[in-house]
């Protein structure tokens, strides 16, 4: 059986925007480092020309008690890189494996359970995204509609803004933005929050400011160049998270949801048969 490690790199990457310049120097080192060495605070502070206090603050921003705990986790998950050049097939497969490993670290099972509860309990669901995130939003809408969720997926800039008028305490507003910077998505979530809707942001960027208007911040993995789709589809990290959410949702009252799914497929099949005559 394949064993997935829990790498620490995605935690660093998701908190990158919160770091000072000195802390980004530290982050860049640990993200790009490819060799084992003496990672003591004294050695690393001298190597990077930063203070040991900066190392401690960096570790705490990553969610650890201090640098010692951080470095213990880093060494545990350290994997030496292969030295030989990768062909195209290996490059793609390694990219997928990297994102799967990162997703394993970022998954918060309790959070996924809460969001599944929102999907079951709230009257209407709206999921919004643009570009590649919009494609993921559309797929989410189709999949969850098949199991009985009253869900609308919207990918048009103006329609996303118009949706804010429909939000209330009986709604779940889900925004997808890998960068966490898409203005339309942030506007949608802020306005939905003001109107009492539950709000969920699916993103690769963890910013403190998101907590002001998001009930849940679902972190997905990322890698250099992913936004441009130069190796694999930028949708892939989002798809991982949506598959996990879908699986968790189905498990709640599984028989009822599978029945709805089967009825939906029968309706679609019946439609096609009717069109033959």
């Amino acid at each position: 059986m394949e064993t997935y490690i829990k790498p620490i790199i995605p935690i660093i990457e998701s908190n990158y925007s919160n770091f000072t310049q000195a802390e980004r120097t530290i982050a860049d080192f640990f993200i790009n480092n490819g060799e084992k060495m003496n990672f003591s605070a004294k050695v690393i502070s001298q190597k990077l020309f930063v203070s040991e206090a900066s190392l401690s603050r960096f570790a705490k921003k990553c969610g650890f008690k201090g640098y010692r705990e951080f470095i213990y986790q880093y060494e545990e998950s350290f994997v030496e890189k292969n030295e030989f050049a990768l062909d195209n097939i290996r490059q793609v497969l390694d990219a997928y494996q990297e994102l799967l490993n990162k997703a394993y670290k970022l998954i918060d099972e309790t959070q996924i359970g809460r969001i599944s509860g929102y999907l079951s309990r709230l009257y209407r669901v709206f999921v919004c995204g643009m570009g590649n995130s919009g494609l993921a939003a559309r797929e989410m809408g189709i999949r969850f509609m098949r199991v009985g969720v009253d869900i609308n997926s919207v990918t048009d800039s103006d329609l996303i803004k118009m949706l804010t008028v429909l939000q209330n305490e009986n709604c779940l507003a889900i925004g997808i933005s890998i960068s966490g910077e898409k203005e339309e998505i942030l506007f949608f979530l802020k306005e939905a929050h003001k109107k009492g809707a539950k709000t969920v942001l699916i993103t690769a960027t963890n910013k403190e400011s998101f907590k002001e208007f998001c009930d849940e911040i679902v972190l997905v993995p990322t890698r250099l160049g992913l936004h441009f789709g130069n190796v694999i589809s930028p949708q892939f990290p989002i798809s991982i998270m949506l598959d996990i959410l879908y699986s968790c949702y189905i498990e709640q009252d599984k028989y009822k949801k599978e029945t709805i799914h089967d009825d939906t497929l029968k309706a679609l099949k019946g439609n096609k048969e009717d069109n033959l005559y």
Side-chain angles (χ1 to χ4, degrees), residues 60-73:
K60 288 177 180 178
K61 283 189 179 179
C62 289
F64 297 92
K65 294 179 182 177
Y67 180 73
R68 182 177 296 180
E69 183 183 21
F70 166 83
I71 212 62
Y72 174 79
Q73 292 269 346

Side-chain angles (χ1 to χ4, degrees), residues 23-259:
E23 290 161 356
R24 289 187 179 188
T25 299
I26 299 168
D28 291 339
F29 167 75
F30 285 112
I31 290 171
N32 297 310
N33 174 54
E35 60 178 312
K36 291 182 179 179
M37 62 179 73
N38 182 347
F39 292 114
S40 69
K42 182 178 180 180
V43 169
I44 298 301
S45 64
Q46 291 175 353
K47 182 180 180 67
L48 302 181
F49 302 102
V50 298
S51 67
E52 292 187 29
S54 292
L55 291 174
S56 178
R57 286 192 294 270
F58 162 77
K60 288 177 180 178
K61 283 189 179 179
C62 289
F64 297 92
K65 294 179 182 177
Y67 180 73
R68 182 177 296 180
E69 183 183 21
F70 166 83
I71 212 62
Y72 174 79
Q73 292 269 346
Y74 183 75
E75 289 179 325
E76 282 287 301
S77 62
F78 190 88
V79 177
E80 292 186 6
K81 298 178 180 178
N82 294 322
E83 296 298 326
F84 58 88
L86 301 174
D87 59 25
N88 289 341
I89 295 174
R90 181 65 181 273
Q91 204 173 17
V92 171
L93 293 176
D94 279 359
Y96 275 114
Q97 188 62 61
E98 177 189 341
L99 290 171
L100 283 170
N101 287 342
K102 289 180 177 181
Y104 183 67
K105 176 63 179 177
L106 291 172
I107 285 293
D108 182 337
E109 295 179 15
T110 303
Q111 180 185 60
I112 295 297
R114 285 196 303 269
I115 297 172
S116 296
Y118 299 154
L119 286 162
S120 297
R121 188 173 71 252
L122 296 172
Y123 181 66
R124 297 189 72 185
V125 180
F126 299 90
V127 55
C128 298
M130 299 178 68
N132 286 294
S133 296
L135 295 174
R138 187 176 302 169
E139 181 188 358
M140 180 181 182
I142 293 171
R143 292 187 70 188
F144 279 87
M145 187 182 294
R146 287 177 178 170
V147 289
V149 177
D150 185 352
I151 185 169
N152 292 275
S153 58
V154 183
T155 61
D156 177 80
S157 176
D158 289 338
L159 289 178
I160 289 173
K161 293 174 183 177
M162 290 168 62
L163 273 185
T164 60
V165 179
L166 303 177
Q167 305 304 306
N168 58 50
E169 63 277 4
N170 296 314
C171 295
L172 171 61
I174 301 174
I176 305 176
S177 173
I178 289 289
S179 66
E181 296 178 354
K182 188 62 71 174
E183 292 182 10
E184 292 88 343
I185 301 303
L186 299 181
F187 176 78
F188 167 67
L189 292 173
K190 288 175 182 177
E191 293 302 307
H193 177 74
K194 289 177 185 177
K195 294 179 182 293
K198 286 289 183 183
T199 51
V200 176
L201 174 61
I202 300 175
T203 183
T205 306
N206 189 17
K207 294 182 179 179
E208 280 295 316
S209 58
F210 292 158
K211 295 179 182 179
E212 297 174 8
F213 55 91
C214 294
D215 294 294
E216 305 288 346
I217 302 167
V218 181
L219 294 176
V220 298
T222 189
R223 71 192 304 269
L224 186 65
L226 179 67
H227 178 70
F228 302 104
N230 58 348
V231 177
I232 62 174
S233 168
Q235 291 174 247
F236 179 68
I238 307 171
S239 296
I240 296 172
M241 204 61 64
L242 294 183
D243 284 346
I244 292 170
L245 181 58
Y246 181 83
S247 177
C248 183
Y249 176 75
I250 290 294
E251 283 301 312
Q252 299 174 357
D253 201 355
K254 187 173 182 179
Y255 175 77
K256 178 182 176 182
K257 288 165 185 173
E258 287 182 343
T259 300

